[in-house]
Amino acid sequence: MVYSFIGFLLLFTLVGISSALFSRATKADYYLASSGVSPWLVGLSAVATNNSGYMFIGVIGYTYLTGLASVWLMVGWIAGDFLASLYVHKRLRCATSASGEVSYAGALSNWYGQKHSTLQRLIGTISLLFLLIYASAQLVAGSKALHVLLDWPLWSGAVVGALLVCLYCLAGGIRASIWTDAAQSIVMISAMGTLLAIALANLGGIPSAIAQMQAIEGFTDWLPKGLAFSGWSGVAVFVISWGFAGLSVIGQPHVMIRFMTLSDSSKMHRARGWYYLWFILFYCMATGVGLLSKVFIADSGNFDAELALPMMAIELLPPALVGLILAGIFAATMSTADSLLLSCSAAITHDILPRKIEKTWLLKLVTVAITGAALLLALANNQSVFSLVIFAWSSLASAFAPLLLVLCFGGRPTQATAITAVIVGFTTAITWRALELHGMIYEGLPGIALGLIVFYLASFARRPLTPPGMNNQTN
């Protein structure tokens, strides 16, 4: 088990380091791969970054606790993600090319060629704060997996992950991250598919597995518990609210930067094809494993549901295949962690500092420092991966998604309006969660909605009080 796991880690590291052979030693290459990445690499990298340790650890834990009703989260999430992609991805890639920016904050702040430096610093600062929290959650997910499967201390997985991410990010920047993401996505889907197939075989096939899940009281109910409204109307609200969680992907700098690296905006449909094929297949497998884990692992009352997958792997698989599962989990955490850390580095060197850093060795030094900060946060963390990821995800989306949507639909908001919308959306999401209302409705829904309302009110306020030509008619 240990040898197969280490073998996969060496493979990822070698893939990342080899990208240094194609490095151009420029800032645009370090953060954007010189906008020359092929569609299949963009798609696989984006889905690996999106899935993260949250999919292996968080979603399976949520499914273990919730049961069949958890599928509504998947339906809402993927639908929202897809709808957003129809209008945003290609336009963002075109704006990146037109503005010459190398960061997500830079593209949003200078969409039409104007220099909104205050807005750029605000977006960069919020990105830095919440992407660090997000990155620490990924390192925590890796630590949990190593602790259960290899009995390593809880801190060890975070340290190993941080060191490996540092190694290949220093070698090739985002190109190394994208290349390793592609390799990791293949390992991730192989690991999840292997565990699902073997679990079903152990239960005697699909009909037998369904019968055993039905024997668990309430586990196969279609309606989630604790909804804001009863019956199917409650399900509809639940799906719509999680649809906003899927739409929220456009507010995630570490995911959207992948689409900004595409070699040609006319190839965006191919990149999206790879992305959704992999995403839907993997999410279905993860949900299936989460459902089956309830049959294999009894809820003892104090069981950490986020350990369901690694414990299930130990129970069902031979050591070599357990190593594959562990590699899949670790690949998921690293594919997202490296993306997050590079985005944090870009926020500092390109968005926040008054003088942009151009020297590659300084960019790499900042990346190392950011990785160290994420590691410290991971070591001090005692919250669940699921809650940390959703908190960071919804906060970033509420801050940035309204602005990006308005820009993609041709809006030209002033810097003051954009800053107000970012702050209103961001604070709404945090307040919603602080009031513990997120159990009924995902906090990204009110956050994004109020951000959009700010833009609408601002455009309404700028309209003339009398219709054009009215004064001429009266004179």
Side-chain angles (χ1 to χ4, degrees):
M1 175 170 63
V2 175
Y3 294 120
S4 61
F5 170 63
I6 292 175
F8 281 113
L9 292 188
L10 289 175
L11 171 64
F12 301 148
T13 306
L14 289 173
V15 169
I17 291 176
S18 66
S19 69
L21 298 173
F22 297 83
S23 175
R24 300 181 186 178
T26 65
K27 185 176 185 177
D29 196 70
Y30 188 73
Y31 286 137
L32 215 57
S34 300
S35 295
V37 182
S38 60
W40 74 274
L41 279 173
V42 168
L44 292 188
S45 176
V47 78
T49 299
N50 195 355
N51 283 345
S52 76
Y54 154 79
M55 192 70 74
F56 268 93
I57 300 296
V59 164
I60 289 178
Y62 175 76
T63 304
Y64 177 92
L65 295 173
T66 306
L68 184 61
S70 65
V71 300
W72 296 116
L73 190 155
M74 176 179 70
V75 170
W77 193 297
I78 293 178
D81 188 315
F82 177 73
L83 289 175
S85 74
L86 294 176
Y87 299 98
V88 172
H89 292 36
K90 185 175 181 178
R91 291 173 175 83
L92 177 60
R93 171 62 182 82
C94 291
T96 301
S97 178
S99 65
E101 292 289 339
V102 300
S103 72
Y104 177 82
L108 265 62
S109 304
N110 305 306
W111 192 272
Y112 294 108
Q114 74 279 47
K115 295 295 181 183
H116 289 165
S117 56
T118 304
L119 175 62
Q120 185 169 349
R121 289 194 182 98
L122 175 63
I123 295 175
T125 301
I126 294 174
S127 298
L128 176 62
L129 175 62
F130 284 92
L131 292 179
L132 266 178
I133 295 173
Y134 202 155
S136 73
Q138 301 311 305
L139 297 178
V140 169
S143 292
K144 285 188 174 185
L146 284 179
H147 176 65
V148 172
L149 294 176
L150 299 180
D151 199 28
W152 288 8
L154 270 173
W155 57 265
S156 61
V159 172
V160 170
L163 288 175
L164 289 175
V165 165
C166 257
L167 186 60
Y168 59 75
C169 280
L170 289 178
I174 198 169
R175 182 178 287 104
S177 176
I178 289 173
W179 285 20
T180 54
D181 283 351
Q184 289 161 350
S185 67
I186 295 171
V187 172
M188 287 159 58
I189 206 163
S190 299
M192 194 66 77
T194 298
L195 185 56
L196 179 62
I198 293 177
L200 285 172
N202 273 266
L203 292 176
I206 294 177
S208 176
I210 293 174
Q212 292 181 63
M213 285 189 287
Q214 289 174 335
I216 302 172
E217 184 179 357
F219 193 67
T220 55
D221 291 347
W222 282 102
L223 300 180
K225 297 178 177 61
L227 296 178
F229 304 97
S230 61
W232 288 102
S233 60
V235 173
V237 173
F238 183 83
V239 170
I240 291 171
S241 68
W242 281 104
F244 273 79
L247 180 146
S248 297
V249 71
I250 64 174
Q252 312 306 313
H254 60 293
V255 179
M256 297 310 294
I257 198 73
R258 264 67 190 150
F259 296 102
M260 293 164 65
T261 67
L262 184 63
S263 57
D264 187 341
S265 60
S266 66
K267 299 177 181 178
M268 186 62 73
H269 65 286
R270 290 164 58 188
R272 290 170 57 246
W274 280 98
Y275 175 82
Y276 286 108
L277 173 64
W278 228 250
F279 193 7
I280 293 171
L281 182 59
F282 189 81
Y283 211 143
C284 289
M285 287 181 177
T287 301
V289 169
L291 291 171
L292 296 179
S293 67
K294 189 75 169 184
V295 177
F296 287 100
I297 305 170
D299 189 352
S300 60
N302 58 356
F303 170 64
D304 183 353
E306 293 191 340
L307 300 180
L309 182 139
M311 290 184 66
M312 188 174 167
I314 290 176
E315 182 176 337
L316 295 177
L317 304 179
L321 289 181
V322 173
L324 172 64
I325 300 299
L326 181 55
I329 298 172
F330 219 69
T333 63
M334 289 195 300
S335 66
T336 303
D338 57 19
S339 311
L340 293 162
L341 295 171
L342 282 169
S343 291
C344 287
S345 176
I348 293 175
T349 62
H350 188 73
D351 303 321
I352 298 174
L353 294 178
R355 288 189 176 183
K356 294 177 172 56
I357 297 175
E358 302 294 337
K359 294 182 179 179
T360 307
W361 70 269
L362 281 176
L363 304 179
K364 294 180 178 181
L365 185 61
V366 172
T367 303
V368 172
I370 286 295
T371 304
L375 176 59
L376 291 176
L377 282 174
L379 296 176
N381 170 64
N382 59 1
Q383 297 186 48
S384 76
V385 173
F386 186 86
S387 62
L388 276 176
V389 168
I390 293 298
F391 174 61
W393 184 275
S394 60
S395 299
L396 290 166
S398 299
F400 307 146
L403 173 58
L404 182 52
L405 286 171
V406 167
L407 291 170
C408 286
F409 281 97
R412 289 177 174 263
T414 64
Q415 179 172 227
T417 299
I419 289 173
T420 301
V422 167
I423 293 173
V424 167
F426 167 70
T427 54
T428 298
I430 292 179
T431 303
W432 195 267
R433 179 163 281 266
L435 295 174
E436 298 185 351
L437 299 174
H438 56 283
M440 296 184 293
I441 295 177
Y442 164 70
E443 62 267 28
L445 192 159
I448 294 172
L450 285 180
L452 290 172
I453 288 172
V454 169
F455 287 114
Y456 173 76
L457 292 176
S459 66
F460 184 80
R462 289 199 300 270
R463 294 175 184 173
L465 294 178
T466 56
M470 179 66 73
N471 289 335
N472 292 335
Q473 293 175 7
T474 56
N475 289 335

